Amino acid sequence: MTALGSTTRRDWQPVLTYSLIAVNVIAFAFSAKASGSIEHNMYSTEVAKLALSEYATATGRWWTAVTSGFLHFGPIHLLVNMFTLYVFGRNIEQALGRARFGAIYALSLLGGSAAVLWFGLENTVTVGASGAIFGLIGAELILFLRMKMDPTSLLVLIGVNVVASFTLSGISWLGHAGGFVAGAAVTAGIVYAPELLPRDKRTRGRVEAVGWSCVGVIAAVLVAAIAIRFGTYPRAQVYPLG
């Protein structure tokens, strides 16, 4: 068992990390087939309707808050994100276990979508696993702090990505920021909230209950934020795709 409560075996494999990579690759293959191009795989009405956009929000396509997190603009975008998911996903899945890792990934994805929906929706089409992946980076930072490890190298990486998010074109810094905050918040709830319990009452069951309660609260806030945005966004100010 790790110091953070997950169980490890000699034959342990990051199954969920590999599964998420597979889903992203399958989604990319679908988009490439639908558009007839690997490089310009988003140039299809069928695929574009799964992306997070002003049109999708105005027409109530709430599922794009999720599906957009599995689409990518071209193979380079996919490869960069999948490599990062491979690096950070394995670490967090092993440290916290598959269920908690899955919760962090899912809520980071929703956090990125919520940030885009509320603060950067107009005249944009947003896709990519970056929000979820930045959530994993935020989670890794929290784990470094919890384990009292030196976070310098990770902070440098975060700094480089922040600069890139603001200086390179075509990058949704809001998606990155929303995912990072959500991932860090969920992980902090999992690893720090149980410490509020009296030491003599920190049984495994109670520790997990407190951690999952924090996950549930954050999930409810993010789902509500996305639902409210989809429910209140003006319906008549955009035109349909193609």
Side-chain angles (χ1 to χ4, degrees), residues 81-104:
N81 276 348
M82 292 306 97
F83 175 75
T84 310
L85 171 55
Y86 174 76
V87 172
F88 287 95
R90 291 180 306 160
N91 294 342
I92 297 168
E93 185 174 349
Q94 184 169 24
L96 295 178
R98 293 190 182 113
R100 290 184 285 186
F101 166 69
I104 293 167

Side-chain angles (χ1 to χ4, degrees), residues 80 92 104 109 121 156 182 193 210 212 232:
V80 170
I92 297 168
I104 293 167
L109 189 157
L121 188 62
V156 170
V210 170
W212 281 109
T232 60

